[in-house]
Amino acid sequence: MTHHHVEDIRSIALVGHEVAGKTSLADALLFKARAADRRGSPEDGTSVSDFDEEEKKHKYSIDSSVMHFDHHGKRVYLIDTPGKPDFVGQALCGLNAVDTAVIVISATAGVQVNTRRMFSEAGKRGLARMIVINKLDSDNVHFEELLGAIRSTFGKACVLWNAPLNVGPGFSGVMCMLDPPNHRPLGLSVEPAAARSMLVDAIVESDEALMEKYLETGDLSHDELMAALPKALAAGTVIPILCTAAKKDKDIGVAELLDAIIEDTPSPKILVPHHGIKDKTDDVAIEANESGEFVAQVFKTISDKFVGNLSYFRVLSGKLTPEQPIVNLRNGRGQRASGLLLVQGKTTKPVTEAIAGDILAVAKVEDLHIGDTLALNTHAPKLPEPTYPMPMFGLAVEPKARGDEQKISGSLHKIADEDPTFKMTRDTQTKELVITGMSQLHLDIVRHRLKTRFDLEIITHEPKIAYRETITAT
């Protein structure tokens, strides 16, 4: 494992509406960065990201998945998230663990419900944002209209970083708008000088000294603009739009996206620090610093029948080695982890330390839940727990086989620990076990997981309503 520092870490989540091509983009990035020997694909079940049997069967993401790669001396943590609103909890878990949200938009479908939602959720968390217009090699792409829709929906901070050449089935490449050629090449659908001017305006907006120089001289050097870009991204004054077609046979714009992630997105040091409560009263800023006090937060857990409990966490400050016992600030319990694990889809490998900015996992540490703060002592600052949408779609469940009641309750608890938008309750009046999720599809997936993971079958039906009688007349 290459040793890296906080300044060298980049963490991104691919978010957006379903069928925008996020998983294909994740596989393309891993292959381009040589972190995978072959280019995976969700269509043929070889994706590094969609490795769950349900995901392979349905050909869409259900869980967020964590990957990483090293490129040009930088360590990048990449989280691929589901685009279906039914699995929004997993997408929000991914956003809670990164510094930059890459909002992926399908060139044919345009701005959709979950595009808006994820853009807004990333903004609420103070993340840097990038937009990727994918599938530009499709038929019926109206690029100028789509660009107008993005800017009118998300604001003037959205500016073209690169523009496509020959949009449609003949899509042949992308051209950087920071250094466009003097003459407009054939197939370029935007005016390069105008696009560059908008890009430069957005970059200088976050830096007063740079803005003054720009107003005085009328232009800035490439190096000055590149140096200012990560801070402008962190401040939200610039949201670069990049163009891609992530297809198995020809990835266009993926190398440029990879470079933009490495060179332009902020390291954990540049973003506004997280805050936690220390000794129950003091509000403390948690700086992304290797030499600071160790603080991390769990953002995802899975219960695997082979590995046991696997808890994924993001280190916000300090350093951790495998032999140090971790304290869970929710209950004050200290436990020794069996080792620190670097995650690549479904595979893990042990590492010797975790530093601020790292996204790693620990196995077989009991009673870790999403949102738990991890530290080395009970006096460390405790992070606020993330909030998730309230599940509203309910079904009553009962076991297919008699005597499975206890097993079903325990197994559903494990699934609820992994999914913050799935709940189970026992109705005290009707005596029914009721499960609630985001939709019928969400609960269908839960049902399939009970069968495949725990070998349990259930019967579901509409929950009974506990009617009450009252006297309405004399």
Side-chain angles (χ1 to χ4, degrees):
M1 175 188 171
T2 55
H3 186 72
H4 53 271
H5 296 286
V6 183
E7 297 81 4
D8 306 325
I9 294 175
R10 306 287 180 268
S11 57
I12 64 165
L14 298 173
V15 294
H17 204 79
E18 59 186 300
V19 205
K22 296 180 292 300
T23 303
S24 297
L25 207 52
D27 282 313
L29 286 166
L30 287 178
F31 182 62
K32 193 65 79 178
R34 301 203 169 113
D37 307 334
R38 52 183 292 217
R39 165 84 155 76
S41 161
E43 278 71 42
D44 57 21
T46 59
S47 171
V48 178
S49 176
D50 284 2
F51 53 83
D52 183 84
E53 288 309 316
E54 286 294 318
E55 291 176 321
K56 287 184 184 180
K57 186 172 97 183
H58 293 294
K59 294 187 172 30
Y60 56 69
S61 303
I62 294 166
D63 293 317
S64 59
S65 62
V66 179
M67 293 152 286
H68 71 277
F69 57 84
D70 294 315
H71 190 66
H72 291 339
K74 302 283 190 285
R75 160 63 53 88
V76 178
Y77 292 103
L78 172 65
I79 300 182
D80 178 33
T81 70
K84 280 188 178 290
D86 316 68
F87 311 119
V88 68
Q90 285 292 324
L92 296 177
C93 286
L95 282 180
N96 289 337
V98 297
D99 296 322
T100 303
V102 176
I103 298 113
V104 185
I105 298 176
S106 158
T108 48
V111 176
Q112 294 169 281
V113 178
N114 238 23
T115 321
R116 289 193 187 89
R117 182 171 194 173
M118 289 299 130
F119 186 91
S120 161
E121 292 287 354
K124 282 182 201 166
R125 287 161 177 73
L127 305 182
R129 289 174 288 193
M130 280 178 138
I131 290 173
V132 170
I133 302 174
N134 193 26
K135 303 190 173 182
L136 278 160
D137 55 344
S138 310
D139 290 313
N140 303 320
V141 176
H142 305 290
F143 186 72
E144 293 87 343
E145 279 176 35
L146 177 54
L147 203 54
I150 290 170
R151 283 177 63 87
S152 66
T153 309
F154 302 130
K156 68 176 175 45
C158 301
V159 285
L160 270 183
W161 178 251
N162 58 34
L165 295 164
N166 307 306
V167 167
F171 181 36
S172 57
V174 294
M175 179 168 284
C176 180
M177 291 293 103
L178 198 60
D179 302 305
N182 295 326
H183 65 284
R184 181 171 170 174
L186 283 170
L188 185 68
S189 48
V190 296
E191 179 53 59
R196 183 182 190 277
S197 175
M198 286 161 91
L199 179 59
V200 175
D201 286 349
I203 294 172
V204 299
E205 200 172 308
S206 68
D207 188 321
E208 277 188 29
L210 205 62
M211 187 183 267
E212 273 180 34
K213 189 177 177 186
Y214 178 52
L215 292 172
E216 279 169 23
T217 61
D219 204 3
L220 294 165
S221 72
H222 175 89
D223 290 348
E224 284 174 313
L225 291 165
M226 287 301 287
L229 195 53
K231 283 182 183 161
L233 257 162
T237 67
V238 64
I239 298 166
I241 301 170
L242 292 96
C243 300
T244 61
K247 271 248 184 92
K248 192 153 190 188
D249 47 354
K250 55 168 188 175
D251 287 323
I252 301 172
V254 175
E256 289 81 356
L257 173 61
L258 183 57
D259 288 342
I261 289 166
I262 296 294
E263 293 164 16
D264 310 332
T265 61
S267 77
K269 281 205 163 213
I270 291 176
L271 285 156
V272 175
H274 290 75
H275 280 255
I277 299 295
K278 192 166 186 165
D279 299 326
K280 298 190 177 169
T281 52
D282 301 336
D283 184 18
V284 182
I286 302 165
E287 304 278 349
N289 203 329
E290 285 170 64
S291 56
E293 181 174 22
F294 173 74
V295 179
Q297 189 166 34
V298 177
F299 66 91
K300 175 180 167 71
T301 63
I302 55 174
S303 173
D304 187 278
K305 56 182 169 188
F306 303 113
V307 185
N309 296 337
L310 200 59
S311 306
Y312 298 72
F313 62 93
R314 163 92 191 269
V315 184
L316 298 171
S317 168
K319 199 179 273 192
L320 179 72
T321 55
E323 57 279 355
Q324 289 174 294
I326 317 170
V327 176
N328 182 347
L329 294 188
R330 175 172 49 82
N331 53 25
R333 279 176 61 189
Q335 293 183 70
R336 196 176 291 275
S338 58
L340 303 172
L341 303 169
L342 183 63
V343 183
Q344 189 73 295
K346 68 176 176 183
T347 64
T348 59
K349 70 172 185 184
V351 291
T352 53
E353 69 169 12
I355 63 163
D358 278 336
I359 295 176
L360 300 172
V362 284
K364 301 187 176 81
V365 178
E366 294 304 312
D367 196 30
L368 283 187
H369 299 308
I370 291 171
D372 281 355
T373 303
L374 309 179
L376 297 179
N377 62 67
T378 51
H379 298 295
K382 185 172 185 279
L383 290 144
E385 288 192 21
T387 55
Y388 295 94
M390 178 70 77
M392 301 299 279
F393 185 86
L395 287 174
V397 300
E398 52 188 86
K400 209 168 188 179
R402 289 181 67 177
D404 272 353
E405 285 89 348
Q406 285 302 108
K407 276 164 78 180
I408 279 180
S409 179
S411 303
L412 286 171
H413 264 301
K414 285 181 178 173
I415 292 174
D417 279 344
E418 295 175 20
D419 186 344
T421 55
F422 171 73
K423 301 274 182 275
M424 56 166 285
T425 48
R426 188 164 294 277
D427 191 310
T428 50
Q429 289 172 303
T430 63
K431 307 286 187 285
E432 286 183 319
L433 183 63
V434 178
I435 58 173
T436 47
M438 300 307 287
S439 65
Q440 177 74 52
L441 173 63
H442 188 188
L443 295 186
D444 284 346
I445 294 294
V446 168
R447 194 165 149 184
H448 285 303
R449 288 195 164 166
L450 270 180
K451 174 86 179 85
T452 53
R453 275 200 212 169
F454 307 104
D455 207 21
L456 292 168
E457 293 201 51
I458 54 171
I459 301 162
T460 59
H461 54 82
E462 290 274 313
K464 288 179 195 159
I465 296 167
Y467 288 110
R468 306 253 177 106
E469 288 186 0
T470 185
I471 297 163
T472 58
T474 52

